[in-house]
Amino acid sequence: MSENTLIDPSLTDEERELSAMLRSFADDVVAPRSYEADRTRTLPLDVVAKMGELGLFGLPFPEEVGGQGGDYFSLCLAVEALGRVDQSMAITLEAAVSLGAMPIFRFGTAEQRERWLPDLVAGRALAGFGLTEPEAGSDAGATRTTARLDDGAWVVNGSKQFITNSGTDITRFVTVTAVTGESQGKKEISTIIVPSGTPGFHVLPAYDKVGWHASDTHPLAFDDVRVPEDHLLGERGRGFAAFLHILDEGRIAIAALATGAAEGCLEAAVEYSRSRNVFGSPLSSRQSMQFLLARMQLRVHNARLAWHHAARLRDAGRPFKTEAAIAKLTASDAAMDNARDATQVFGGNGFMNEFAVARHYRDSKILEIGEGTTEVQLLVIARSLGLV
């Protein structure tokens, strides 16, 4: 663990051991592949397989479904460790668990769990969650994708966008939100499991993104896609409500990812400032640089405390919605601010993609947008104060 890291004394010995193992894996296995994966815009599935062998995809799931018997805090330790060196690999893990496997575990029938979970928790398969549309995300009422029952099958029509892990060679299915009817004048939103390769299910070409280049992200189209009636996930009409709970958990993991990114930028900036001589002395000897690095450390520390608190609440079965929003807002701000400052420390080198800080600079912006924008987090916090 970095000497710059202030360790939370609440960590158990087991959690410290796990964190150290995860960081070694990130440094030794993930980091050496990061630049090439980013440059070629390719998700290295062999690294994904190694993550599966370590049990990372099964961290928060019980042993009876093939998991590691851990908790959500353990998953977030893994996401933070990966985010420190490669945000694309971190979001691959976060989305695979929070958006792929967790809905099946939480809301699936016994048959659905038996069919899908073993490969998901082992990292042998990935799955996506299709919520966002061109005109719908947090606004459930704007959902246009539909699913109607016809002779024992759901017929799905519509489109989704920005869907992570939806087009890899090991993607098994995508769970999509769709309008399945109307109740009291409002759209009834349900979730449907659509297996990869189903006729009419089209994974469109990958996006040309600003960052997260190695993360698999596609728009999806559904043209009279027929899946069996038992592919309904959870209770009919409760799809969006169920997803909001999943999203609250995901915000904690995104906060952990952002904390890792902020720390990665800090570590790189400290090392570079010590090795870079300016006018005959190390850059780190200048008080202005020392103050800048101190503020970067402050951001990392606060972000980590925020997600630790939210994750502990979640694992204790206590309300955590507001704390998850605070954690995501705090950590995403820290990642963006540290990426900007680290890039400035590196000067011209900070503009070169071969340096990790340049990739963090591009990657970190989406942390203020994905799984709830900064403005949505502020809205959640304001509601907790009784202001909305």
Side-chain angles (χ1 to χ4, degrees), residues 138-208:
S138 300
D139 181 7
T143 299
R144 294 185 176 181
T145 298
T146 62
R148 60 180 176 83
L149 278 175
D150 177 61
D151 194 23
W154 292 104
V155 182
V156 183
N157 283 281
S159 63
K160 299 292 180 178
Q161 63 180 11
F162 312 142
I163 311 305
T164 305
N165 294 340
S166 58
T168 75
D169 290 342
I170 60 172
T171 299
R172 295 291 173 81
F173 66 88
V174 174
T175 303
V176 299
T177 53
V179 178
T180 52
E182 187 173 302
S183 177
Q184 298 180 342
K186 295 183 178 180
K187 292 179 179 179
E188 173 190 85
I189 308 293
S190 305
T191 48
I192 311 292
I193 299 171
V194 182
S196 300
T198 303
F201 173 24
H202 305 290
V203 179
L204 303 179
Y207 291 101
D208 181 11

Side-chain angles (χ1 to χ4, degrees), residues 64-368:
E64 53 263 33
V65 299
Q68 301 300 308
D71 51 23
Y72 207 76
F73 190 93
S74 298
L75 170 68
C76 290
L77 285 176
V79 172
E80 180 186 294
L82 294 174
R84 176 173 147 266
V85 301
D86 189 331
Q87 292 191 41
S88 288
M89 296 309 298
I91 194 59
T92 297
L93 173 63
E94 190 279 330
V97 175
S98 294
L99 303 179
M102 192 61 74
I104 301 295
F105 174 72
R106 183 72 46 73
F107 307 112
T109 63
E111 190 279 330
Q112 289 170 342
R113 293 171 69 169
E114 182 178 352
R115 177 179 180 183
W116 301 112
L117 275 182
D119 284 343
L120 293 177
V121 301
R124 293 188 297 267
L126 297 174
F129 197 105
L131 170 71
T132 306
E133 300 181 5
E135 297 183 21
S138 300
D139 181 7
T143 299
R144 294 185 176 181
T145 298
T146 62
R148 60 180 176 83
L149 278 175
D150 177 61
D151 194 23
W154 292 104
V155 182
V156 183
N157 283 281
S159 63
K160 299 292 180 178
Q161 63 180 11
F162 312 142
I163 311 305
T164 305
N165 294 340
S166 58
T168 75
D169 290 342
I170 60 172
T171 299
R172 295 291 173 81
F173 66 88
V174 174
T175 303
V176 299
T177 53
V179 178
T180 52
E182 187 173 302
S183 177
Q184 298 180 342
K186 295 183 178 180
K187 292 179 179 179
E188 173 190 85
I189 308 293
S190 305
T191 48
I192 311 292
I193 299 171
V194 182
S196 300
T198 303
F201 173 24
H202 305 290
V203 179
L204 303 179
Y207 291 101
D208 181 11
K209 296 175 294 186
V210 170
W212 284 3
H213 285 167
S215 170
D216 179 80
T217 318
H218 296 264
L220 309 175
F222 305 89
D223 184 13
D224 285 336
V225 176
R226 297 181 68 90
V227 297
E229 186 174 354
D230 64 7
H231 280 42
L232 175 73
L233 179 63
E235 183 181 347
R236 178 170 176 170
R238 296 288 299 168
F240 192 77
F243 179 75
L244 288 179
H245 184 79
I246 295 293
L247 193 62
D248 286 337
E249 293 181 342
R251 286 171 180 165
I252 303 175
I254 292 295
L257 192 165
T259 301
E263 184 183 8
C265 289
L266 170 63
E267 290 178 350
V270 167
E271 181 179 357
Y272 190 83
S273 70
R274 286 172 172 167
S275 63
R276 174 69 168 173
N277 286 318
V278 179
F279 300 113
S281 62
L283 192 58
S284 61
S285 67
R286 299 176 180 272
Q287 190 177 69
S288 59
M289 179 58 58
Q290 294 168 5
F291 285 2
L292 182 147
L293 295 172
R295 290 189 181 280
M296 292 176 69
Q297 172 68 302
L298 175 69
R299 294 172 193 140
V300 173
H301 183 59
N302 288 341
R304 181 171 289 119
L305 291 180
W307 85 248
H308 278 200
H309 179 55
R312 296 294 192 199
L313 289 176
R314 184 269 182 199
D315 286 340
R318 297 173 59 186
F320 63 90
K321 184 182 185 70
T322 300
E323 289 76 10
I326 291 171
K328 184 180 184 296
L329 180 58
T330 301
S332 60
D333 281 351
M336 273 300 297
D337 289 343
N338 276 15
R340 183 183 61 250
D341 284 349
T343 301
Q344 193 71 16
V345 170
F346 272 67
N349 286 330
F351 204 61
M352 302 297 116
N353 282 327
E354 65 187 273
F355 290 91
V357 295
R359 301 194 295 275
H360 277 307
Y361 186 80
R362 289 187 285 103
D363 289 344
S364 293
K365 180 57 192 174
I366 191 60
L367 297 170
E368 298 182 315

